Amino acid sequence: MIAIIGIAGSGKSTQRDLLAQQLNCPWVYSGELLRKNLAGDQKKDLAAGKPIDDRITIALLERDFKEKGAKHQECILDGSPRYIEQAQWFVGLVKSGQIKLTGVIHLVMTPEEAAKRLSGRGRHDDSQQAIDQRFKVYETYTKPVLEYLKAQGIKVHNVDATASIEEINEQIRQELGLKILVESRSR
């Protein structure tokens, strides 16, 4: 499993899509799972960039892992673990051998750089208030997750997310030692 973590707008989904195509493997995206499965106040909280109960996120991730066979083959995990409880669950899966961890990628970008990217994205949940809230969540919760993973002996590979899409992809592949055939890029 390759976990991709970063601030909103850092290009997690772009790199997820590229790697999934290059490695011919499935991907799991917690944001999409939450958007599809939440309703009412929880859906409003998600749209506002507020945290969702980790038990809900973990249950959805577990279900999607099972459906996609993510514990038995390479898989890209987009945007998780985002909170400590998710990180504890994730580390438990790695340490118990339930998933084989290829690596954790941290796409590094400042909030100012990410805000520029997000302003041109045009997603309905990219209001300035929601973006500010997602940045706050990243600083408050996700950065400590990265430290927790390191403390648990998991190497976190920092990748400059301000480079071009191709350069970022190349750096990820180098960091993780991934061998990808050139032909797979043209699919």
Side-chain angles (χ1 to χ4, degrees), residues 148-182:
Y148 172 79
L149 293 173
K150 292 174 194 174
Q152 295 298 309
I154 294 178
K155 178 157 178 49
V156 175
H157 303 268
N158 289 320
V159 173
D160 177 8
T162 63
S164 72
I165 291 169
E166 295 78 15
E167 290 168 333
I168 295 166
N169 181 257
E170 178 64 28
Q171 188 177 350
I172 290 171
R173 293 186 343 236
Q174 286 179 359
E175 287 284 331
L176 299 180
L178 299 174
K179 305 286 186 242
I180 298 171
L181 299 173
V182 175

mmCIF file of all heavy atoms in Angstrom, residues 148-182:
data_model
loop_
_atom_site.group_PDB
_atom_site.id
_atom_site.type_symbol
_atom_site.label_atom_id
_atom_site.label_comp_id
_atom_site.label_asym_id
_atom_site.label_seq_id
_atom_site.Cartn_x
_atom_site.Cartn_y
_atom_site.Cartn_z
ATOM 1 N N TYR A 148 3.573 10.892 14.296
ATOM 2 C CA TYR A 148 3.191 9.614 14.907
ATOM 3 C C TYR A 148 3.691 8.442 14.054
ATOM 4 O O TYR A 148 4.259 7.477 14.573
ATOM 5 C CB TYR A 148 1.671 9.540 15.077
ATOM 6 C CG TYR A 148 1.192 8.178 15.530
ATOM 7 C CD1 TYR A 148 1.288 7.785 16.862
ATOM 8 C CD2 TYR A 148 0.658 7.271 14.620
ATOM 9 C CE1 TYR A 148 0.868 6.535 17.277
ATOM 10 C CE2 TYR A 148 0.240 6.015 15.018
ATOM 11 C CZ TYR A 148 0.341 5.651 16.351
ATOM 12 O OH TYR A 148 -0.066 4.408 16.756
ATOM 13 N N LEU A 149 3.474 8.529 12.738
ATOM 14 C CA LEU A 149 3.923 7.455 11.848
ATOM 15 C C LEU A 149 5.429 7.257 11.969
ATOM 16 O O LEU A 149 5.914 6.129 12.072
ATOM 17 C CB LEU A 149 3.532 7.762 10.400
ATOM 18 C CG LEU A 149 2.027 7.744 10.089
ATOM 19 C CD1 LEU A 149 1.772 8.235 8.672
ATOM 20 C CD2 LEU A 149 1.427 6.362 10.301
ATOM 21 N N LYS A 150 6.174 8.375 11.974
ATOM 22 C CA LYS A 150 7.633 8.285 12.116
ATOM 23 C C LYS A 150 8.009 7.639 13.447
ATOM 24 O O LYS A 150 8.911 6.801 13.503
ATOM 25 C CB LYS A 150 8.262 9.679 12.012
ATOM 26 C CG LYS A 150 8.169 10.297 10.627
ATOM 27 C CD LYS A 150 8.695 11.733 10.652
ATOM 28 C CE LYS A 150 8.327 12.493 9.402
ATOM 29 N NZ LYS A 150 8.706 13.923 9.502
ATOM 30 N N ALA A 151 7.307 8.024 14.517
ATOM 31 C CA ALA A 151 7.589 7.471 15.846
ATOM 32 C C ALA A 151 7.301 5.969 15.897
ATOM 33 O O ALA A 151 7.894 5.247 16.702
ATOM 34 C CB ALA A 151 6.776 8.201 16.911
ATOM 35 N N GLN A 152 6.419 5.500 15.029
ATOM 36 C CA GLN A 152 6.085 4.078 14.961
ATOM 37 C C GLN A 152 7.018 3.310 14.026
ATOM 38 O O GLN A 152 6.799 2.139 13.736
ATOM 39 C CB GLN A 152 4.627 3.908 14.508
ATOM 40 C CG GLN A 152 3.613 4.438 15.489
ATOM 41 C CD GLN A 152 3.680 3.711 16.812
ATOM 42 O OE1 GLN A 152 3.661 2.487 16.873
ATOM 43 N NE2 GLN A 152 3.807 4.458 17.900
ATOM 44 N N GLY A 153 8.046 3.997 13.528
ATOM 45 C CA GLY A 153 9.030 3.346 12.675
ATOM 46 C C GLY A 153 8.662 3.314 11.200
ATOM 47 O O GLY A 153 9.286 2.599 10.414
ATOM 48 N N ILE A 154 7.663 4.082 10.815
ATOM 49 C CA ILE A 154 7.253 4.136 9.413
ATOM 50 C C ILE A 154 7.927 5.329 8.757
ATOM 51 O O ILE A 154 7.792 6.466 9.216
ATOM 52 C CB ILE A 154 5.715 4.216 9.286
ATOM 53 C CG1 ILE A 154 5.111 2.902 9.789
ATOM 54 C CG2 ILE A 154 5.296 4.516 7.857
ATOM 55 C CD1 ILE A 154 3.615 2.837 9.785
ATOM 56 N N LYS A 155 8.668 5.064 7.694
ATOM 57 C CA LYS A 155 9.354 6.145 6.975
ATOM 58 C C LYS A 155 8.331 6.960 6.187
ATOM 59 O O LYS A 155 7.516 6.413 5.454
ATOM 60 C CB LYS A 155 10.404 5.584 6.025
ATOM 61 C CG LYS A 155 11.098 6.689 5.225
ATOM 62 C CD LYS A 155 12.448 6.280 4.733
ATOM 63 C CE LYS A 155 13.139 7.321 3.897
ATOM 64 N NZ LYS A 155 13.190 8.663 4.393
ATOM 65 N N VAL A 156 8.390 8.262 6.359
ATOM 66 C CA VAL A 156 7.551 9.191 5.604
ATOM 67 C C VAL A 156 8.454 9.885 4.591
ATOM 68 O O VAL A 156 9.449 10.509 4.966
ATOM 69 C CB VAL A 156 6.868 10.215 6.540
ATOM 70 C CG1 VAL A 156 6.107 11.251 5.737
ATOM 71 C CG2 VAL A 156 5.957 9.504 7.542
ATOM 72 N N HIS A 157 8.119 9.729 3.320
ATOM 73 C CA HIS A 157 8.909 10.320 2.235
ATOM 74 C C HIS A 157 8.325 11.684 1.890
ATOM 75 O O HIS A 157 7.193 11.772 1.404
ATOM 76 C CB HIS A 157 8.864 9.419 0.993
ATOM 77 C CG HIS A 157 9.350 8.032 1.242
ATOM 78 N ND1 HIS A 157 10.667 7.661 1.052
ATOM 79 C CD2 HIS A 157 8.707 6.925 1.681
ATOM 80 C CE1 HIS A 157 10.803 6.379 1.350
ATOM 81 N NE2 HIS A 157 9.627 5.910 1.736
ATOM 82 N N ASN A 158 9.081 12.756 2.145
ATOM 83 C CA ASN A 158 8.637 14.108 1.797
ATOM 84 C C ASN A 158 8.941 14.381 0.333
ATOM 85 O O ASN A 158 10.074 14.187 -0.115
ATOM 86 C CB ASN A 158 9.331 15.150 2.675
ATOM 87 C CG ASN A 158 8.842 15.102 4.102
ATOM 88 O OD1 ASN A 158 7.659 14.925 4.360
ATOM 89 N ND2 ASN A 158 9.746 15.239 5.043
ATOM 90 N N VAL A 159 7.924 14.822 -0.394
ATOM 91 C CA VAL A 159 8.053 15.117 -1.818
ATOM 92 C C VAL A 159 7.561 16.541 -2.055
ATOM 93 O O VAL A 159 6.484 16.917 -1.582
ATOM 94 C CB VAL A 159 7.234 14.106 -2.666
ATOM 95 C CG1 VAL A 159 7.225 14.492 -4.128
ATOM 96 C CG2 VAL A 159 7.778 12.699 -2.480
ATOM 97 N N ASP A 160 8.354 17.328 -2.787
ATOM 98 C CA ASP A 160 8.008 18.717 -3.099
ATOM 99 C C ASP A 160 6.808 18.737 -4.041
ATOM 100 O O ASP A 160 6.909 18.369 -5.205
ATOM 101 C CB ASP A 160 9.203 19.408 -3.751
ATOM 102 C CG ASP A 160 8.907 20.835 -4.181
ATOM 103 O OD1 ASP A 160 7.819 21.367 -3.848
ATOM 104 O OD2 ASP A 160 9.775 21.425 -4.853
ATOM 105 N N ALA A 161 5.659 19.184 -3.534
ATOM 106 C CA ALA A 161 4.424 19.195 -4.321
ATOM 107 C C ALA A 161 4.285 20.425 -5.207
ATOM 108 O O ALA A 161 3.277 20.578 -5.891
ATOM 109 C CB ALA A 161 3.216 19.084 -3.392
ATOM 110 N N THR A 162 5.312 21.291 -5.229
ATOM 111 C CA THR A 162 5.232 22.478 -6.091
ATOM 112 C C THR A 162 5.843 22.212 -7.464
ATOM 113 O O THR A 162 5.742 23.050 -8.357
ATOM 114 C CB THR A 162 5.937 23.692 -5.442
ATOM 115 O OG1 THR A 162 7.324 23.394 -5.282
ATOM 116 C CG2 THR A 162 5.302 24.032 -4.097
ATOM 117 N N ALA A 163 6.477 21.069 -7.623
ATOM 118 C CA ALA A 163 7.079 20.713 -8.915
ATOM 119 C C ALA A 163 5.975 20.357 -9.915
ATOM 120 O O ALA A 163 4.787 20.350 -9.572
ATOM 121 C CB ALA A 163 8.037 19.537 -8.724
ATOM 122 N N SER A 164 6.361 20.037 -11.138
ATOM 123 C CA SER A 164 5.371 19.636 -12.144
ATOM 124 C C SER A 164 4.807 18.264 -11.777
ATOM 125 O O SER A 164 5.415 17.506 -11.012
ATOM 126 C CB SER A 164 6.009 19.570 -13.532
ATOM 127 O OG SER A 164 6.864 18.440 -13.625
ATOM 128 N N ILE A 165 3.654 17.931 -12.327
ATOM 129 C CA ILE A 165 3.016 16.638 -12.074
ATOM 130 C C ILE A 165 3.990 15.504 -12.382
ATOM 131 O O ILE A 165 4.138 14.564 -11.597
ATOM 132 C CB ILE A 165 1.721 16.502 -12.912
ATOM 133 C CG1 ILE A 165 0.668 17.468 -12.385
ATOM 134 C CG2 ILE A 165 1.206 15.069 -12.913
ATOM 135 C CD1 ILE A 165 -0.561 17.613 -13.279
ATOM 136 N N GLU A 166 4.675 15.603 -13.518
ATOM 137 C CA GLU A 166 5.605 14.550 -13.936
ATOM 138 C C GLU A 166 6.799 14.452 -12.986
ATOM 139 O O GLU A 166 7.252 13.362 -12.652
ATOM 140 C CB GLU A 166 6.095 14.790 -15.368
ATOM 141 C CG GLU A 166 5.007 14.699 -16.423
ATOM 142 C CD GLU A 166 4.112 15.953 -16.515
ATOM 143 O OE1 GLU A 166 4.477 17.029 -15.965
ATOM 144 O OE2 GLU A 166 3.028 15.847 -17.113
ATOM 145 N N GLU A 167 7.318 15.603 -12.549
ATOM 146 C CA GLU A 167 8.458 15.600 -11.626
ATOM 147 C C GLU A 167 8.072 15.008 -10.270
ATOM 148 O O GLU A 167 8.848 14.269 -9.663
ATOM 149 C CB GLU A 167 9.008 17.014 -11.447
ATOM 150 C CG GLU A 167 9.712 17.566 -12.672
ATOM 151 C CD GLU A 167 9.988 19.061 -12.580
ATOM 152 O OE1 GLU A 167 9.250 19.791 -11.882
ATOM 153 O OE2 GLU A 167 10.967 19.492 -13.215
ATOM 154 N N ILE A 168 6.890 15.341 -9.801
ATOM 155 C CA ILE A 168 6.408 14.795 -8.529
ATOM 156 C C ILE A 168 6.273 13.283 -8.649
ATOM 157 O O ILE A 168 6.725 12.530 -7.784
ATOM 158 C CB ILE A 168 5.060 15.437 -8.121
ATOM 159 C CG1 ILE A 168 5.239 16.931 -7.847
ATOM 160 C CG2 ILE A 168 4.470 14.723 -6.903
ATOM 161 C CD1 ILE A 168 3.936 17.704 -7.761
ATOM 162 N N ASN A 169 5.664 12.832 -9.737
ATOM 163 C CA ASN A 169 5.489 11.400 -9.969
ATOM 164 C C ASN A 169 6.837 10.688 -10.002
ATOM 165 O O ASN A 169 7.016 9.634 -9.376
ATOM 166 C CB ASN A 169 4.696 11.184 -11.259
ATOM 167 C CG ASN A 169 4.456 9.725 -11.555
ATOM 168 O OD1 ASN A 169 5.114 9.138 -12.416
ATOM 169 N ND2 ASN A 169 3.513 9.135 -10.844
ATOM 170 N N GLU A 170 7.793 11.276 -10.697
ATOM 171 C CA GLU A 170 9.127 10.680 -10.786
ATOM 172 C C GLU A 170 9.783 10.609 -9.408
ATOM 173 O O GLU A 170 10.397 9.600 -9.049
ATOM 174 C CB GLU A 170 9.999 11.484 -11.753
ATOM 175 C CG GLU A 170 11.414 10.975 -11.892
ATOM 176 C CD GLU A 170 11.512 9.577 -12.500
ATOM 177 O OE1 GLU A 170 10.624 9.194 -13.290
ATOM 178 O OE2 GLU A 170 12.484 8.865 -12.163
ATOM 179 N N GLN A 171 9.646 11.672 -8.620
ATOM 180 C CA GLN A 171 10.249 11.687 -7.288
ATOM 181 C C GLN A 171 9.599 10.621 -6.394
ATOM 182 O O GLN A 171 10.291 9.924 -5.647
ATOM 183 C CB GLN A 171 10.141 13.066 -6.646
ATOM 184 C CG GLN A 171 10.927 13.150 -5.350
ATOM 185 C CD GLN A 171 10.911 14.521 -4.721
ATOM 186 O OE1 GLN A 171 10.472 15.502 -5.302
ATOM 187 N NE2 GLN A 171 11.399 14.591 -3.494
ATOM 188 N N ILE A 172 8.277 10.470 -6.469
ATOM 189 C CA ILE A 172 7.587 9.439 -5.685
ATOM 190 C C ILE A 172 8.118 8.063 -6.063
ATOM 191 O O ILE A 172 8.453 7.253 -5.205
ATOM 192 C CB ILE A 172 6.059 9.506 -5.896
ATOM 193 C CG1 ILE A 172 5.480 10.766 -5.238
ATOM 194 C CG2 ILE A 172 5.376 8.244 -5.348
ATOM 195 C CD1 ILE A 172 4.021 11.036 -5.587
ATOM 196 N N ARG A 173 8.217 7.817 -7.362
ATOM 197 C CA ARG A 173 8.679 6.507 -7.830
ATOM 198 C C ARG A 173 10.114 6.240 -7.366
ATOM 199 O O ARG A 173 10.446 5.126 -6.957
ATOM 200 C CB ARG A 173 8.551 6.407 -9.346
ATOM 201 C CG ARG A 173 7.082 6.420 -9.779
ATOM 202 C CD ARG A 173 6.836 6.175 -11.250
ATOM 203 N NE ARG A 173 7.964 6.330 -12.113
ATOM 204 C CZ ARG A 173 8.004 7.138 -13.167
ATOM 205 N NH1 ARG A 173 6.972 7.879 -13.486
ATOM 206 N NH2 ARG A 173 9.077 7.198 -13.923
ATOM 207 N N GLN A 174 10.962 7.280 -7.412
ATOM 208 C CA GLN A 174 12.345 7.119 -6.939
ATOM 209 C C GLN A 174 12.388 6.865 -5.435
ATOM 210 O O GLN A 174 13.107 5.990 -4.964
ATOM 211 C CB GLN A 174 13.183 8.345 -7.295
ATOM 212 C CG GLN A 174 13.539 8.419 -8.759
ATOM 213 C CD GLN A 174 14.355 9.664 -9.093
ATOM 214 O OE1 GLN A 174 14.645 10.482 -8.240
ATOM 215 N NE2 GLN A 174 14.707 9.804 -10.359
ATOM 216 N N GLU A 175 11.623 7.650 -4.682
ATOM 217 C CA GLU A 175 11.596 7.505 -3.219
ATOM 218 C C GLU A 175 11.184 6.089 -2.806
ATOM 219 O O GLU A 175 11.715 5.532 -1.854
ATOM 220 C CB GLU A 175 10.634 8.515 -2.582
ATOM 221 C CG GLU A 175 11.133 9.936 -2.572
ATOM 222 C CD GLU A 175 12.190 10.203 -1.507
ATOM 223 O OE1 GLU A 175 12.182 9.546 -0.449
ATOM 224 O OE2 GLU A 175 13.041 11.087 -1.743
ATOM 225 N N LEU A 176 10.204 5.521 -3.527
ATOM 226 C CA LEU A 176 9.670 4.210 -3.166
ATOM 227 C C LEU A 176 10.340 3.063 -3.912
ATOM 228 O O LEU A 176 10.018 1.901 -3.670
ATOM 229 C CB LEU A 176 8.158 4.173 -3.404
ATOM 230 C CG LEU A 176 7.338 5.180 -2.599
ATOM 231 C CD1 LEU A 176 5.858 5.040 -2.916
ATOM 232 C CD2 LEU A 176 7.588 5.029 -1.100
ATOM 233 N N GLY A 177 11.255 3.399 -4.840
ATOM 234 C CA GLY A 177 11.924 2.355 -5.600
ATOM 235 C C GLY A 177 10.990 1.618 -6.549
ATOM 236 O O GLY A 177 11.160 0.419 -6.781
ATOM 237 N N LEU A 178 10.010 2.322 -7.074
ATOM 238 C CA LEU A 178 9.032 1.694 -7.967
ATOM 239 C C LEU A 178 9.582 1.611 -9.378
ATOM 240 O O LEU A 178 10.055 2.600 -9.924
ATOM 241 C CB LEU A 178 7.720 2.493 -7.981
ATOM 242 C CG LEU A 178 7.003 2.614 -6.641
ATOM 243 C CD1 LEU A 178 5.814 3.561 -6.778
ATOM 244 C CD2 LEU A 178 6.547 1.258 -6.150
ATOM 245 N N LYS A 179 9.492 0.461 -9.943
ATOM 246 C CA LYS A 179 9.898 0.248 -11.333
ATOM 247 C C LYS A 179 8.635 0.222 -12.185
ATOM 248 O O LYS A 179 7.790 -0.651 -12.021
ATOM 249 C CB LYS A 179 10.641 -1.087 -11.487
ATOM 250 C CG LYS A 179 11.829 -1.229 -10.560
ATOM 251 C CD LYS A 179 12.982 -0.370 -11.016
ATOM 252 C CE LYS A 179 14.214 -0.628 -10.185
ATOM 253 N NZ LYS A 179 14.682 0.503 -9.448
ATOM 254 N N ILE A 180 8.526 1.191 -13.063
ATOM 255 C CA ILE A 180 7.338 1.306 -13.905
ATOM 256 C C ILE A 180 7.781 1.334 -15.347
ATOM 257 O O ILE A 180 8.686 2.085 -15.726
ATOM 258 C CB ILE A 180 6.532 2.570 -13.548
ATOM 259 C CG1 ILE A 180 6.051 2.459 -12.100
ATOM 260 C CG2 ILE A 180 5.353 2.763 -14.478
ATOM 261 C CD1 ILE A 180 5.434 3.694 -11.540
ATOM 262 N N LEU A 181 7.148 0.527 -16.151
ATOM 263 C CA LEU A 181 7.457 0.507 -17.572
ATOM 264 C C LEU A 181 7.009 1.795 -18.223
ATOM 265 O O LEU A 181 5.940 2.310 -17.932
ATOM 266 C CB LEU A 181 6.772 -0.676 -18.256
ATOM 267 C CG LEU A 181 7.166 -2.066 -17.758
ATOM 268 C CD1 LEU A 181 6.302 -3.120 -18.404
ATOM 269 C CD2 LEU A 181 8.628 -2.318 -18.013
ATOM 270 N N VAL A 182 7.799 2.322 -19.128
ATOM 271 C CA VAL A 182 7.460 3.563 -19.838
ATOM 272 C C VAL A 182 6.134 3.395 -20.572
ATOM 273 O O VAL A 182 5.303 4.288 -20.600
ATOM 274 C CB VAL A 182 8.586 3.965 -20.817
ATOM 275 C CG1 VAL A 182 8.179 5.185 -21.634
ATOM 276 C CG2 VAL A 182 9.871 4.255 -20.060
#
